[in-house]
Amino acid sequence: MDFELPEDTRMVRDTVSRFVRNELIPHEALIIRREAERGFTDTPLIPPELDAKLQHTAREIGLWGIDVPEEYGGQEFGMLAKCVVIEELKHSIVPFVLPPESPNLYLLRELCVGSQIDRYLLPYARGEKKSCIALTEPGAGSDAGAIKTRAERRNGKWVINGTKIFISNARRADFMIVLAVTDPSRGAHGGMSAFLVDKGTPGLTVPTGYPMIGEYHPYEVVFDNVEVGDEQVLGEIGTAFKPLQKRLGVRRLDIASRCLGLASRCIEMMIEQANTRTTFGAPLADRQTIQNWIADSFQEMEMVRWLVYRLAWRIDRGDTDFRRDGAIVKIQSTEMIGRVADRAIQLFGGMGVSKELPLEYIARMARVLRIVEGPSEVHRWVVARDLLKSGLPSS
C-alpha cells in the first residue's frame, strides 16, 4: 500500500500552491470587504474583471481541465488530483474555482449523448458554459426522493412545473440540470428523470435569492409550463436517481477537500501566532492549552485528509459504490473545520473575530457546510443504515 502522492499530482499541487500564494491571497482583503458590503444583494464576491484575469493566469500555467477527459480537451488527472487542487485553492478564502466548476461534469460525462455532447458537455468542460443542478424543493431537501416538480408528456414535449429552492449559481448558469418526477407511481427509483434546461427558456424564472451566512447565496427557481424536447432528456426517463447519487457523492468529496484547505490555513495561522505572540512574559507557544489546540487540530485534519484521499483513490480505480464513504467524509470534514476554526479564533482573541483576518469569514463559511449537500444527521443515518444492513466491511 503506497501512501505517497504520484509525482504528477505533487507537481500540480505545487503549481496551485504558488498560484494561491501569488494570485489569490493578496486579494483576500477585497473579498472580505465585498462580502461585508454585499448585504441582501447577490453581488459576486470576485469582481468579474479580476475573475477573468485569474482564469487567464490559471490557464497559462496549466491549471485547466484537471479532471476533464483528454478526449474533451482536458488533462484527466483524476479525482485524487482534483481533491489536492481544491485543497490547495481553499488555502485562501478567495472563492476562485477552476472550470468546470462543479461535480456536474461527472453527471454529464455519464449521461450526455448525441447532440448533448456538443451542446452541453464540451462547452461546459472547456469552461465556456456554466451549469447548476436544480434538485432541492420546499418539501424535499435531504430526501431527494420527495421532490414534487413534475414533467409530463404533452404534444410530443416534456412540460415541467414546480419550484426549486436553495439552487446555487441559478442566475449565472447557462443551463440547468433539472430533476423532476415523470412517473409518481414508481417513486424515486424509476420515477425520477433529469432534463437539460437552457437559460431563458420560456416559463423558467429565478425570482429571488436567499442572502445567507458566509459566501453562500442560492436562489429560488420556478418552472411554469417549461417545455423541452426529447433531445434535452439527460439519460433515460425514470433512471435519474442512481447517477444523481454518484454526483452527490463527488460533491461531498469536493466539500471535504475545501474543508482541508481551510483547516490548513487556520492551523498555519495558529502556529505563527503562537510563536510570535507573548502574554504575561511568555510566548503562547509555551501554554499547554495552545499546544493542545494546535495538536488536536492537526490530528483531526490529517485523519480527514486520509479519508478523503482514500475515497478519491477508490473513485480513480473505478469504484462506483461510495455512498457510505461519501457520507463519512462529509460528516468528518465539515465538523472538523468547525472545531479548527473555532480554536483559531479563540487563540487570536479579539483579532480572531475581526475582519482584519480571514478567520471569522472561514468560521461562517464552514458553518454552512454542515447543512448543504445533506446535514450531518442524515449522513450519520446513511452510514448506520448501511452497517446495520450489511455488517462491518472487511478492511
Side-chain angles (χ1 to χ4, degrees), residues 163-164 170-171 203-210 219-223:
T163 298
K164 303 289 188 179
R171 279 192 178 157
L204 168 63
T205 57
V206 185
T208 188
Y210 299 100
Y219 300 90
E220 178 186 42
V221 181
V222 176
F223 301 88

Side-chain angles (χ1 to χ4, degrees), residues 315-384:
I315 293 173
D316 284 339
R317 283 166 56 95
D319 194 337
T320 59
D321 182 16
F322 51 85
R323 188 177 185 190
R324 183 189 65 219
D325 284 358
I328 291 171
V329 298
K330 175 63 163 57
I331 297 166
Q332 296 300 325
S333 63
T334 57
E335 295 188 359
M336 174 274 294
I337 183 54
R339 293 189 296 269
V340 171
D342 189 72
R343 293 180 191 125
I345 286 174
Q346 196 69 12
L347 189 152
F348 276 85
M351 287 299 290
V353 290
S354 77
K355 294 190 181 298
E356 294 295 315
L357 299 176
L359 294 175
E360 64 87 26
Y361 186 105
I362 290 173
R364 289 185 293 111
M365 185 195 315
R367 185 62 185 87
V368 175
L369 300 179
R370 282 170 49 201
I371 296 175
V372 298
E373 301 293 335
S376 297
E377 293 76 16
V378 169
H379 288 300
R380 283 188 165 87
W381 170 65
V382 168
V383 174

Side-chain angles (χ1 to χ4, degrees), residues 34 37-44 171 209-212 217 219:
R34 287 176 68 90
E37 295 173 347
R38 181 170 65 175
F40 287 90
T41 72
D42 60 354
T43 302
R171 279 192 178 157
Y210 299 100
M212 304 184 81
H217 190 108
Y219 300 90

Side-chain angles (χ1 to χ4, degrees), residues 140-213:
S142 301
D143 183 6
I147 67 171
K148 301 298 183 185
T149 295
R150 288 291 307 275
E152 298 176 296
R153 190 74 172 165
R154 298 182 199 165
N155 301 319
K157 297 281 188 178
W158 291 98
V159 182
I160 305 173
N161 283 283
T163 298
K164 303 289 188 179
I165 60 172
F166 299 143
I167 307 305
S168 299
N169 301 321
R171 279 192 178 157
R172 63 192 191 96
D174 297 292
F175 66 93
M176 297 182 181
I177 300 171
V178 182
L179 280 298
V181 176
T182 47
D183 187 348
S185 68
R186 301 189 65 182
H189 299 275
M192 183 187 296
S193 304
F195 299 87
L196 296 161
V197 180
D198 294 314
K199 179 180 181 179
T201 299
L204 168 63
T205 57
V206 185
T208 188
Y210 299 100
M212 304 184 81
I213 185 173

Side-chain angles (χ1 to χ4, degrees), residues 49-229:
E49 62 276 9
L50 175 58
D51 186 59
K53 176 179 178 295
L54 292 173
Q55 296 286 356
H56 177 73
T57 301
R59 183 188 287 272
E60 280 192 327
I61 61 177
L63 300 179
W64 203 264
I66 298 295
D67 53 346
V68 173
E70 292 181 358
E71 62 185 297
Y72 300 141
Q75 303 188 63
E76 202 167 6
F77 283 144
M79 182 56 70
L80 177 59
K82 181 76 171 193
C83 288
V84 170
V85 167
I86 294 171
E87 179 183 345
E88 289 298 325
L89 283 175
K90 296 315 294 182
H91 197 70
S92 170
I93 62 168
V94 175
F96 175 78
V97 181
L98 291 170
E101 60 179 17
S102 78
N104 291 345
L105 173 67
Y106 294 85
L107 198 58
L108 295 172
R109 280 176 60 180
E110 181 176 351
L111 300 179
C112 278
V113 294
S115 63
Q116 294 174 349
I117 294 174
D118 290 327
R119 187 174 174 184
Y120 297 103
L121 175 56
L122 289 179
Y124 176 74
R126 293 192 295 259
E128 297 166 0
K129 284 190 174 183
K130 300 180 185 299
S131 75
C132 70
I133 189 162
L135 173 61
T136 302
E137 298 181 4
S142 301
D143 183 6
I147 67 171
K148 301 298 183 185
T149 295
R150 288 291 307 275
E152 298 176 296
R153 190 74 172 165
R154 298 182 199 165
N155 301 319
K157 297 281 188 178
W158 291 98
V159 182
I160 305 173
N161 283 283
T163 298
K164 303 289 188 179
I165 60 172
F166 299 143
I167 307 305
S168 299
N169 301 321
R171 279 192 178 157
R172 63 192 191 96
D174 297 292
F175 66 93
M176 297 182 181
I177 300 171
V178 182
L179 280 298
V181 176
T182 47
D183 187 348
S185 68
R186 301 189 65 182
H189 299 275
M192 183 187 296
S193 304
F195 299 87
L196 296 161
V197 180
D198 294 314
K199 179 180 181 179
T201 299
L204 168 63
T205 57
V206 185
T208 188
Y210 299 100
M212 304 184 81
I213 185 173
E215 65 186 31
Y216 188 49
H217 190 108
Y219 300 90
E220 178 186 42
V221 181
V222 176
F223 301 88
D224 183 8
N225 289 318
V226 173
E227 291 189 358
V228 295

Side-chain angles (χ1 to χ4, degrees), residues 225-278:
N225 289 318
V226 173
E227 291 189 358
V228 295
D230 289 331
E231 72 279 2
Q232 286 169 264
V233 175
L234 184 60
E236 299 292 330
I237 289 293
T239 63
F241 189 80
K242 185 174 180 180
L244 173 65
Q245 295 307 308
K246 180 178 179 180
R247 183 267 179 201
L248 293 175
V250 170
R251 175 63 169 161
R252 287 155 191 161
L253 195 56
D254 174 288
I255 288 174
S257 301
R258 294 180 180 208
C259 292
L260 285 173
L262 295 170
S264 176
R265 179 69 180 281
C266 288
I267 296 170
E268 182 181 89
M269 293 179 66
M270 292 169 72
I271 292 171
E272 181 179 2
Q273 179 75 346
N275 281 324
T276 57
R277 177 73 188 275
T278 297

